[in-house]
Amino acid sequence: MLNIVIFGAPGSGKGTQSEKIVEKYGLDHISTGDVLRAEIKADSELGRAAKQLIDNGQLIPDDLMVSILEAKLNALTDSKGVIFDGFPRTIAQAEALKKMLNKHAEDVTAMIELDVPEDELMTRLLLRGQASGRADDNEETIKKRLIVYNEQTSPLKEWYKNDGKHCYINGLGELDRIFNDIVAAIDSRI
Ligand code: AP5
Ligand code: MG
């Protein structure tokens, strides 16, 4: 199986590039942000709890997030592999993912880091906020999301370097150039 972690700050292009990767490699796509937004839309108990945290730019607790991810993973059938978008976001989540995959004699094939400067992230997310109305795409919440990313999520770069899976991609510029770089990184590992 081809298991890809697509990684980067809010607005770095994880969702955009995931769609292209899914199309090329026929993978299943698990976006934990999309899962949570669907729960919010359904007004479930989980959705109501998640909304408060998401609107404040904070992470959902690890144990809850890991069990949501595990349920999504277990529900897949005949999968060629998975692109993990927005997960893991903490070292505890990365360790849990490795354990889950190892249980099935699988592992992460590559962790693709999309590197984009903060001023560009802010511009992209404010623009998307105007167009799509995503509740966490406002200046105040974006700033909090970036702080949380820098403090809790960016240490995963080192974690994946130590695990031998980290691939650096310059995420600034043309969509197709970025995608070609991602494909080259993935193909060098399969
Ligand atoms: P999540 O939904 O994962 O949001 P995020 O990480 O903040 O990232 P985004 O989805 O905003 O950006 P993206 O990198 O996907 O970029 P996109 O392709 O959309 O998480 C939301 C919240 O849920 C979290 O804050 C947290 O509260 C919670 N959560 C989720 N997972 C969790 C977990 N594992 N643990 C705990 N909590 C969790 O692109 C952004 C915009 O830029 C788009 O408009 C796009 O068109 C544009 N764009 C893309 N590429 C380019 C380019 N090359 N040039 C110009 N514009 C571009
Ligand atoms: Mg996204």
Side-chain angles (χ1 to χ4, degrees):
M1 275 170 74
L2 181 58
N3 296 308
I4 306 295
V5 170
I6 186 119
F7 181 88
S12 57
K14 300 184 294 295
T16 305
Q17 295 294 336
S18 287
E19 281 180 25
K20 295 163 81 71
I21 297 168
V22 163
E23 201 180 314
K24 180 169 171 72
Y25 295 96
L27 303 181
D28 289 295
H29 178 208
I30 301 179
S31 156
T32 44
D34 287 350
V35 171
L36 294 168
R37 282 184 290 277
E39 292 289 338
I40 293 173
K41 204 166 167 202
D43 199 25
S44 66
E45 198 179 322
L46 167 61
R48 286 192 291 274
K51 183 172 168 49
Q52 290 202 332
L53 292 164
I54 291 178
D55 287 355
N56 204 26
Q58 305 302 307
L59 298 183
I60 277 65
D62 286 333
D63 48 353
L64 182 56
M65 217 53 242
V66 167
S67 58
I68 293 170
L69 198 272
E70 193 160 29
K72 288 282 160 194
L73 209 49
N74 288 339
L76 298 177
T77 46
D78 292 334
S79 184
K80 287 188 185 170
V82 180
I83 176 150
F84 296 94
D85 165 2
F87 188 102
R89 262 178 150 90
T90 62
I91 288 174
Q93 291 182 16
E95 285 169 347
L97 177 61
K98 192 171 178 73
K99 231 175 163 176
M100 264 183 252
L101 293 173
N102 285 177
K103 241 197 296 186
H104 303 281
E106 294 287 341
D107 203 346
V108 167
T109 312
M111 182 271 217
I112 305 287
E113 179 203 348
L114 298 173
D115 181 38
V116 178
E118 282 204 0
D119 55 344
E120 167 75 5
L121 297 170
M122 182 59 85
T123 305
R124 288 185 191 178
L125 292 175
L126 288 175
L127 207 67
R128 187 182 61 190
Q130 288 164 10
S132 78
R134 219 176 100 170
D136 56 349
D137 284 346
N138 61 78
E139 189 170 355
E140 194 191 338
T141 310
I142 295 166
K143 281 185 181 157
K144 290 184 187 163
R145 288 159 66 193
L146 291 173
I147 291 171
V148 166
Y149 171 78
N150 288 325
E151 289 179 350
Q152 299 185 51
T153 305
S154 69
L156 282 175
K157 292 179 217 171
E158 277 310 306
W159 194 91
Y160 276 107
K161 278 179 196 165
N162 291 333
D163 204 30
K165 311 292 185 196
H166 176 263
C167 305
Y168 174 89
I169 303 286
N170 174 6
L172 182 65
E174 271 284 301
L175 289 189
D176 286 341
R177 195 275 303 153
I178 298 167
F179 181 61
N180 289 339
D181 288 356
I182 293 173
V183 168
I186 293 174
D187 289 351
S188 74
R189 284 169 183 267
I190 53 181

